[in-house]
């Protein structure tokens, strides 16, 4: 395994620290650097594994090496053959991939984090150099490559509408005066930019797919980071999120490689708090493995179930949380208040946020969420478990 690892880190294969193999597509990360103009998409563990297999190579029917590191297979002949044929899932390959794929996921996340910390400043420098103060649209067009990549890491909207981009620039960099003598945009770093930078400065951290959670992954399952995450959330003004899974996610159908934790970033929490307050609700984070929600109580008949349902957040592929309660408060057998409870938009995670593999009987969905669903020939049983249709 060590020999295979050394071979794979050769400059002509994956390079030192696998910098040439962080992105199986070759579109988003090249030589360990983010490709400006791209919108990085997290590969699945299976995609990384398949890509590494093509780099490793194999032994042909005569036992001859084919591929960059197949010579290692030849040296470990007894470990890689089965019934006198090369075993594509031999112990050497499977153990190597079990060690290396999580490592590449971490190295990839580190590369994205390093880019994310500085990309807003790079965008600010570019648009200022291209005269944003006098011609916003022309400056945006000139810097579209930088904007496209940076925005894909900090905003759920990645379109090219100029009005939307101006709104994003104002959000991440603060308001700006557009007169020729105005100070450069980005002189006043706003809360959202600081929160994103704070998150990405944490080892093994990334911004969630929704853009509102700071997700931290830990490979060591023998320790807990709960108190550390609580401290980090308090340090950065965020809110620890106990609803994040720590080893297995019944909402995504994945077995997590390690433990996952999250806190709600400050700007997102304050937005949700303001929205909930304006609706005369109370934003509540329950103890234990539960979800944050806004609870609105009101006199009977003030809100309909249809109006409540319109507030519910739909998690990608995972249904909704909350709902209408027609008897929230009862006094002497008479209903005095009803309620509507909903989870604020974006306070969810998907399979893309959690390194790991699909649970037994499951396969990854085709909706870019990274969530898993029952594979053909299987059906749902309790929770998110799947079992064969024939019951065997």
């Amino acid at each position: 395994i060590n020999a295979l690892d050394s071979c794979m880190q050769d400059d002509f294969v994956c390079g030192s620290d696998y910098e040439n193999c962080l992105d199986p597509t070759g579109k988003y990360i090249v030589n360990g650097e983010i490709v400006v103009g791209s919108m990085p998409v997290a590969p699945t563990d299976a995609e990384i594994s398949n890509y590494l297999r093509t780099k490793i190579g194999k032994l042909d029917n005569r036992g001859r090496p084919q591929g960059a590191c197949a010579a290692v297979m030849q040296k470990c002949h007894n470990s890689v053959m089965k019934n006198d044929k090369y075993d594509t899932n031999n112990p050497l390959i499977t153990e190597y991939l079990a060690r290396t794929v999580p490592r590449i996921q971490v190295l990839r996340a580190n590369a994205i984090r390093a880019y994310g910390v500085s990309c807003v400043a790079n965008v600010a420098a570019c648009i200022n150099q291209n005269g944003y103060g006098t011609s916003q649209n022309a400056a945006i067009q000139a810097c579209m490559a930088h904007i496209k990549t940076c925005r894909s890491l900090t905003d759920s909207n990645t379109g090219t509408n100029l009005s939307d981009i101006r709104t994003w620039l104002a959000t991440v960099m603060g308001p700006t005066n557009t007169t020729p003598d105005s100070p450069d945009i980005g002189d006043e770093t706003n809360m959202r930019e600081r929160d994103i930078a704070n998150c990405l400065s944490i080892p093994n951290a990334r911004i969630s797919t929704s853009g509102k959670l700071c997700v931290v992954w830990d490979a060591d399952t023998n320790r807990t980071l709960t108190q550390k995450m609580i401290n980090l959330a308090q340090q950065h003004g965020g809110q620890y999120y106990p609803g994040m899974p720590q080893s297995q996610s019944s909402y995504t159908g994945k077995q997590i490689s390690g433990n996952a934790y999250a806190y709600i970033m400050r700007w997102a929490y304050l937005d949700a708090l303001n929205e909930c307050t304006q609706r005369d609700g109370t934003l509540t984070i329950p103890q234990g493995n539960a979800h944050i929600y806004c609870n609105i109580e009101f006199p009977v008949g003030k809100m309909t179930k249809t109006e409540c349902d319109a507030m519910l957040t739909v998690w990608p592929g995972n249904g909704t949380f909350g709902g209408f309660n027609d008897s929230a408060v009862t006094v002497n057998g008479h209903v005095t208040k009803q309620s509507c409870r909903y989870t604020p938009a974006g306070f969810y995670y998907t399979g893309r946020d959690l390194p790991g593999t699909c649970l037994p009987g499951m396969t990854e969905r085709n909706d870019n969420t990274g969530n898993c669903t029952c594979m053909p020939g299987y059906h749902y049983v309790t929770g998110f478990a799947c079992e064969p249709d024939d019951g065997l």
Side-chain angles (χ1 to χ4, degrees):
I1 294 172
N2 290 335
L4 181 56
D5 182 66
S6 296
C7 177
M8 290 292 285
Q9 292 196 64
D10 185 271
D11 288 342
F12 292 99
V13 189
C14 285
S16 178
D17 281 337
Y18 290 89
E19 64 178 4
N20 299 326
C21 294
L22 299 182
D23 175 26
T25 69
K27 298 178 181 178
Y28 313 117
I29 305 177
V30 175
N31 296 329
E33 300 293 331
I34 305 299
V35 177
V36 176
S38 71
M39 294 190 292
V41 175
T44 65
D45 288 355
E47 289 171 335
I48 295 177
S49 294
N50 291 335
Y51 180 64
L52 293 178
R53 285 176 182 271
T54 64
K55 292 284 188 179
I56 295 170
K58 62 180 182 178
L59 301 183
D60 65 14
N61 292 334
R62 296 183 181 181
R64 297 174 300 187
Q66 294 182 333
C69 294
V72 178
M73 302 293 144
Q74 194 175 42
K75 292 179 181 180
C76 301
H77 183 274
N78 292 340
S79 298
V80 302
M81 303 297 287
K82 185 176 182 180
N83 298 327
D84 295 326
K85 293 183 179 180
Y86 177 71
D87 180 11
T88 57
N89 292 313
N90 63 73
L92 173 56
I93 289 288
T94 55
E95 181 61 26
Y96 166 77
L97 293 176
R99 295 185 185 186
T100 307
V101 171
R103 178 182 177 188
I104 288 179
Q105 290 283 25
V106 171
L107 291 170
R108 182 186 177 284
N110 289 343
I112 290 178
R113 180 177 70 247
Y115 180 85
V117 168
S118 60
C119 75
V120 172
N122 293 337
V123 168
C126 182
I127 61 177
N128 287 326
Q129 291 170 3
N130 285 276
Y132 189 79
T134 55
S135 180
Q136 293 185 351
N137 289 351
I140 288 174
Q141 294 288 7
C143 301
M144 186 61 77
H146 289 280
I147 292 171
K148 181 180 179 181
T149 303
C150 189
R151 194 178 179 204
S152 72
L153 302 176
T154 60
D155 188 22
S156 59
N157 182 350
T158 56
T160 57
N161 180 276
L162 295 180
S163 177
D164 290 343
I165 291 175
R166 288 195 298 271
T167 300
W168 173 75
L169 289 170
T171 300
V172 298
M173 299 175 190
T176 179
N177 190 332
T178 57
T179 62
D181 297 327
S182 65
D184 287 346
I185 186 170
D187 283 353
E188 296 184 5
T189 306
N190 87 334
M191 182 185 298
R192 181 171 180 169
E193 180 192 3
R194 291 196 301 271
D195 289 348
I196 292 171
N198 286 336
C199 172
L200 295 178
S201 68
I202 302 170
N204 299 327
R206 61 162 294 163
I207 306 300
S208 68
T209 304
S210 69
K212 296 187 176 183
L213 306 180
C214 178
V215 182
V216 176
W217 174 75
D218 181 32
D220 189 348
T221 58
N222 294 320
R223 64 184 174 192
T224 176
L225 299 184
T226 300
Q227 189 56 52
K228 178 180 179 180
M229 289 301 297
I230 292 174
N231 294 340
L232 285 170
Q234 293 175 343
Q235 176 184 342
H236 299 316
Q239 175 64 57
Y240 175 63
Y241 193 23
M244 193 71 180
Q246 294 184 10
S247 60
Q248 179 176 313
S249 171
S250 60
Y251 301 115
T252 65
K254 294 185 75 172
Q255 182 68 47
I256 303 170
S257 302
N259 291 333
Y261 304 83
Y263 69 80
I264 303 165
M265 288 187 286
R266 172 180 48 176
W267 70 269
Y269 178 76
L270 293 178
D271 271 0
L273 179 62
N274 181 59
E275 176 188 80
C276 183
T277 301
Q278 289 182 350
R279 290 174 170 173
D280 296 324
T282 302
L283 196 63
T284 304
I285 297 185
Q287 298 297 312
N289 186 22
H291 301 281
I292 184 172
Y293 62 87
C294 176
N295 188 57
I296 308 169
E297 290 189 352
F298 43 85
V300 176
K302 185 177 180 180
M303 181 188 297
T304 65
K305 183 179 184 301
T306 300
E307 291 171 328
C308 176
D309 289 345
M311 298 182 188
L312 301 186
T313 297
V314 179
W315 287 29
N318 298 323
T320 59
F321 293 90
F324 185 77
N325 185 346
D326 60 3
S327 57
V329 179
T330 302
V331 178
N332 296 327
H334 298 284
V335 177
T336 59
K337 287 187 177 181
Q338 297 173 318
S339 69
C340 177
R341 178 180 295 185
Y342 70 91
T343 297
F347 286 2
Y348 56 75
Y349 52 86
T350 70
R352 288 178 56 190
D353 303 322
L354 309 174
T357 56
C358 292
L359 293 170
M362 289 191 165
T363 186
E364 193 166 308
R365 298 166 63 100
N366 295 320
D367 56 6
N368 203 35
T369 63
N371 295 344
C372 303
T373 187
C374 288
M375 62 178 58
Y378 285 72
H379 62 273
Y380 284 111
V381 286
T382 305
F384 252 64
C386 297
E387 67 176 18
D389 290 340
D390 58 14
L392 300 178

